[in-house]
Amino acid sequence: GICLGMQLLFEDSEEDGGRNPGLGIFRGRVGRLDGPRLLHVGWNAAATTAPDGPVEPGFYYFIHGYAPRPENPSDILAESRFGETVFPAAVGRDRVTGVQFHPEKSGQAGLAFLDGWANNKERLPKEAGSSPSTGKSGPPRATPAVRLIPCLDMDDGRVVKGVRFENLRDAGDPAELARRYVEQGADEICFLDVGATWKSRRTLLEIVARVAGETFIPLTVGGGLRTVEDIREALQAGADKVSLGTAALENPELLQEAAERFGRQCLVVSIDARAKNGGWVATTHGGRRESGRDAVGWAGTAEAAGAGEILLNSIDRDGTGSGYDLDLLGRVRTAVRIPVIASGGGETPAQTWEAVVHGGADAVLLASVLHGGRRTISEFKTFLRKKGVFVR
């Protein structure tokens, strides 16, 4: 069982209200996961609690807001930590295994786990009642790792980049760039269709399907998605999450409907904010029109409507290399409990550190600095790691 599939192995769940029955293979209930955010999203470390268990210690990709509480500690094969809350990352007994993380999106570590399971290489405890304390390494003391996310702005099948959403220029082939960034250690890839025409979106989905077939990290797709059917097509093409901007701002009911149908964990609300009169106004249509809505207030409304993450882009900083808008970041971070992704102005590792430490960002988006080959994701992670930031 994977993620929800693992939770279904237990007796019942509190999710969606009431007590929803599960399979009852493991004793225990599934309840809301307490932590620093409403959802546990991103890469986190898992520590084995069974000496011969199937999960190797390492980083895996999680995205959930509920977690099981097993009654029998010997059922727990691995643990992870969300803030100060320890939860099972894997459970198992006899021929049944469940993992809370997504191995299919956890890079080489996840593929190794799936290979072991598919080819009968599982190393489950020899005795179901054996003590989990033997060889236990203990859950990591960390929240999810800070994510570095390359953003591929696309128009009619090519990656483009400009300054403050203007003067777009060709930046390369999206599939080639995606492969390069995965090799450098990207935690996710974000595809945004800035052309947002039907032709451009169809081309984008074809590319996403191709990339999803050869890379095993989460993919986010946005741009021109206006209906639940558009969202469904993007998810079926291989996207793990969708980014909604203008459509969500003009029709918040779309968020509610999509959250009910697909789950809020796959919904990212993109806010293009422009400074105005001492605050920030949320814009639409790629920053070309002002909505009249306060960007910080809209972030809170989007969370209430069903958003799982906020992608916060400063139009004033976009493509300038002048650093992220820390004031804007801090205001939105205070207004919501879901993860916030900083975007717009990132050029140096020091600026990403400021976005995380002083702005409270859970992830940072990078574009021009990577497309131009001025820096690599590895350089950013090395700097952040030396500064004490938890990264994969």
Side-chain angles (χ1 to χ4, degrees):
I2 294 174
C3 198
L4 179 60
M6 167 177 163
Q7 297 177 9
L8 287 168
L9 300 176
F10 287 81
E11 294 175 287
D12 57 57
S13 173
E14 299 171 359
E15 188 165 5
D16 204 26
R19 298 186 65 168
N20 302 293
L23 296 174
I25 295 173
F26 297 103
R27 293 187 60 82
R29 301 193 66 193
V30 175
R32 178 166 288 283
L33 179 63
D34 294 326
R37 302 286 182 264
L38 197 59
L39 293 176
H40 177 222
V41 179
W43 296 79
N44 210 339
T48 179
T49 60
D52 297 315
V55 178
E56 294 285 350
F59 283 93
Y60 298 89
Y61 184 80
F62 295 84
I63 182 164
H64 60 116
Y66 287 77
R69 301 161 185 162
E71 290 187 9
N72 188 350
S74 66
D75 289 336
I76 302 174
L77 302 180
E79 291 179 332
S80 193
R81 185 184 292 273
F82 184 40
E84 293 302 316
T85 301
V86 177
F87 65 91
V91 296
R93 188 191 320 128
D94 301 324
R95 300 301 302 163
V96 181
T97 304
V99 292
Q100 186 62 70
F101 54 84
H102 282 264
E104 77 283 5
K105 291 296 174 180
S106 297
Q108 293 304 313
L111 294 180
F113 169 83
L114 289 175
D115 177 64
W117 181 84
N119 293 294
N120 199 28
K121 300 175 184 176
E122 292 178 295
R123 299 178 295 114
L124 295 174
K126 295 180 180 179
E127 298 180 13
S130 62
S131 171
S133 61
T134 304
K136 180 174 179 177
S137 57
R141 286 198 166 274
T143 54
V146 170
R147 289 170 284 154
L148 272 70
I149 307 174
C151 182
L152 307 183
D153 292 333
M154 290 181 52
D155 188 8
D156 200 18
R158 297 290 294 179
V159 176
V160 296
K161 193 56 189 167
V163 178
R164 299 186 181 96
F165 292 13
E166 297 179 348
N167 301 319
L168 299 180
R169 62 186 184 278
D170 188 275
D173 176 71
E176 180 182 331
L177 289 175
R179 284 192 292 269
R180 180 195 306 171
Y181 298 147
V182 169
E183 291 173 358
Q184 291 178 8
D187 297 306
E188 298 181 18
I189 300 288
C190 184
F191 295 89
L192 297 181
D193 177 18
V194 297
T197 65
W198 183 86
K199 177 184 176 184
S200 182
R201 187 168 71 248
R202 300 313 304 177
T203 302
L204 170 64
L205 294 184
E206 291 171 3
I207 293 170
V208 167
R210 184 153 45 101
V211 173
E214 58 186 48
T215 62
F216 301 95
I217 63 172
L219 305 178
T220 299
V221 173
L225 305 180
R226 293 188 166 276
T227 67
V228 168
E229 180 61 21
D230 289 341
I231 295 171
R232 184 189 67 80
E233 287 186 359
L235 296 174
Q236 285 191 329
D240 301 281
K241 295 183 277 190
V242 295
S243 175
L244 303 174
T246 298
L249 193 56
E250 295 181 341
N251 179 24
E253 290 78 15
L254 173 63
L255 276 177
Q256 193 168 15
E257 185 180 356
E260 291 174 355
R261 181 164 178 181
F262 307 113
R264 71 186 302 156
Q265 79 287 339
C266 71
L267 300 179
V268 181
V269 167
S270 177
I271 301 178
D272 294 327
R274 189 188 300 278
K276 185 177 182 179
N277 298 330
W280 299 268
V281 62
T283 66
T284 64
H285 300 85
R288 293 186 294 274
R289 303 179 191 174
E290 292 187 2
S291 69
R293 298 194 64 166
D294 173 66
V296 177
W298 165 232
T301 301
E303 177 185 60
E309 293 183 87
I310 298 293
L311 171 54
L312 183 62
N313 186 50
S314 168
I315 294 179
D316 307 286
R317 304 292 184 98
D318 181 76
T320 66
S322 58
Y324 301 93
D325 189 331
L326 302 183
D327 193 11
L328 172 62
L329 267 173
R331 298 288 183 88
V332 173
R333 174 70 283 155
T334 301
V336 300
R337 287 196 60 213
I338 54 179
V340 176
I341 305 167
S343 175
E347 173 76 17
T348 69
Q351 291 168 344
T352 61
W353 177 81
E354 290 174 345
V356 172
V357 175
H358 298 302
D362 300 276
V364 291
L365 220 64
L366 297 167
S368 299
V369 64
L370 300 179
H371 304 337
R374 296 189 296 277
R375 294 186 186 275
T376 66
I377 294 171
S378 304
E379 291 179 61
F380 281 90
K381 287 196 171 185
T382 297
F383 180 90
L384 293 174
R385 195 175 292 114
K386 288 180 178 178
K387 296 285 282 186
V389 175
F390 183 50
V391 293
R392 178 170 69 104

